[in-house]
Amino acid sequence: MRFIIDVLLTGLAVFLAALVLPDSAVSVAGFGWAIVAGLIISFVNATIGTILRFFTFPLNLLTLGLISFIITVLMVQLTSYFMGSKFDVANFWWAAVFALVVALIQMLLDSLFKSKNRD
């Protein structure tokens, strides 16, 4: 049940971030596609992103996590490539802004919907 709530909250964060940013920068076709985009971003981050973070670990330590953020931005762009016009991010810089906005919205949503019985 918690997984479904997390997926819906991630979709909401993606949808709200797309609403906040200009349409020329980030666009999503609707809330359903925002949920799909959130799932794909999570999936590619968990698979390809993890592999890239493993190989860039020493560099990530030297840059204090900047490489990990860059990998996340690249995973957003990869999702945009996979989804075509349903979820579109204009370029690397807008993907970076989008990733920051989604992270901030997710922090806010997590604090609002945090359950006392959370593991």
Side-chain angles (χ1 to χ4, degrees), residues 3 42 48 55 71 107 115:
F3 174 73
S42 298
I48 299 169
F55 286 115
I71 290 171
M107 285 186 342
S115 73

Side-chain angles (χ1 to χ4, degrees), residues 3 9 25 34 42 45 51 60-61 66 91 98 106 111-112 117:
F3 174 73
L9 290 177
S42 298
N45 235 343
I51 293 167
N60 204 11
L61 281 177
L66 181 63
N91 57 37
F98 176 79
Q106 279 186 315
S111 68
L112 289 174
N117 297 329

Side-chain angles (χ1 to χ4, degrees), residues 20-98:
V20 169
L21 297 173
D23 284 340
S24 61
V26 178
S27 65
V28 65
F31 183 68
W33 289 109
I35 292 174
V36 173
L39 278 171
I40 294 174
I41 290 170
S42 298
F43 178 74
V44 296
N45 235 343
T47 55
I48 299 169
T50 301
I51 293 167
L52 290 174
R53 283 181 187 84
F54 175 77
F55 286 115
T56 60
F57 180 72
L59 188 57
N60 204 11
L61 281 177
L62 290 174
T63 61
L64 302 174
L66 181 63
I67 298 299
S68 185
F69 177 70
I70 291 171
I71 290 171
T72 300
V73 171
L74 292 173
M75 297 304 107
V76 169
Q77 285 191 297
L78 185 62
T79 301
S80 174
Y81 175 77
F82 284 149
M83 292 189 65
S85 65
K86 302 299 182 190
F87 172 73
D88 187 40
V89 180
N91 57 37
F92 178 84
W93 300 111
W94 281 116
V97 172
F98 176 79

